Amino acid sequence: MKLYYAAGACSLAPHIVAQEAGIVLSLERVDLASHKTESGVDFYQLNAKGSVPFLVLTNGESLSEGSVICQYLADSVANTQLLPPVGSMARYRVQEWQNYISSELHKSFSPLFNPKASAETKALFAQQLKAKLTWVSAQLANRPYLTGEHFTIADAYLFVVANWSQFVALDVSDLAPLHAFLQRVASRPAVQAALKAEGLIK
Ligand SMILES: N[C@@H](CCC(=O)N[C@@H](CS)C(=O)NCC(=O)O)C(=O)O
């Protein structure tokens, strides 16, 4: 399978999931400004949505939407720690987090990265994000990962999105459980491997 990604973007979540699941992906970097892939292909010709992550399967089919790609990857090797079995309440809990991170956190960061957004717009989104991350942090006060003792695909997604705070001057240093979570996830060997492969750490 080939994952189209941009370093440190939301595509890092499926990349981490693949590393955690022992899935060897072929990686192709996308320059989101020029929409060219590292082999010189126009990314829009592959994915008209223009966004990463984008996964091309071995049978030639493709899949977009990061939270679903993560589910596909975990299911493809039946890794029930990363994603519990179909029909279990534990799976719905992971999916509940996936949806929250996608709809309430991920897309609220977008205006903070957008040079066209006004200072007022950025301040409003930053304020809302801080409130949401404060709630997320409180959920992590008594457990190492979002749904309990085990790292799941939702932890990979939260790790990637919450880490963006440092690039948009959103101060979350007072959120101790979230801070500890980010360090806990960063220290996982699979996460280190994904960060290295994307050139984010040495
Ligand atoms: N709905 C998509 C959104 C993905 C997304 O926002 N990707 C960003 C990087 S984090 C991107 O590729 N932005 C560039 C663009 O859309 O042109 C998903 O959840 O996978």
Side-chain angles (χ1 to χ4, degrees), residues 137-167:
S137 186
Q139 309 313 301
L140 289 163
N142 296 312
R143 53 196 197 220
Y145 297 112
L146 286 171
T147 57
E149 294 302 312
H150 298 297
F151 178 91
T152 73
I153 61 171
D155 297 297
Y157 196 8
L158 177 63
F159 171 76
V160 171
V161 169
N163 257 322
W164 293 338
S165 303
Q166 62 189 300
F167 305 116

Side-chain angles (χ1 to χ4, degrees), residues 68-157:
V68 176
I69 292 174
C70 288
Q71 294 178 52
Y72 178 84
L73 290 171
D75 281 342
S76 72
V77 289
N79 189 316
T80 54
Q81 281 218 341
L82 284 170
L83 182 62
V86 171
S88 66
M89 198 59 208
R91 187 182 180 102
Y92 290 114
R93 290 288 171 223
V94 174
Q95 290 173 321
E96 186 178 34
W97 275 112
Q98 288 286 88
N99 207 64
Y100 183 81
I101 297 163
S102 175
S103 60
E104 303 295 330
L105 303 179
H106 180 172
K107 282 297 151 180
S108 294
F109 271 97
S110 304
L112 302 184
F113 284 110
N114 189 336
K116 291 187 186 145
S118 69
E120 286 86 0
T121 300
K122 287 186 179 175
L124 177 64
F125 276 91
Q127 188 189 27
Q128 289 176 345
L129 265 172
K130 181 68 188 275
K132 287 171 183 171
L133 288 171
T134 300
W135 177 78
V136 171
S137 186
Q139 309 313 301
L140 289 163
N142 296 312
R143 53 196 197 220
Y145 297 112
L146 286 171
T147 57
E149 294 302 312
H150 298 297
F151 178 91
T152 73
I153 61 171
D155 297 297
Y157 196 8

Side-chain angles (χ1 to χ4, degrees), residues 6 8-11 32-33 35 43-44 49-53 64-69 102 106-107 110 157 160 164:
C10 51
S11 45
L32 292 176
H35 293 108
F43 186 52
Y44 274 122
K49 289 178 176 173
S51 58
V52 292
S64 60
E65 301 304 316
S67 68
V68 176
I69 292 174
S102 175
H106 180 172
K107 282 297 151 180
S110 304
Y157 196 8
V160 171
W164 293 338

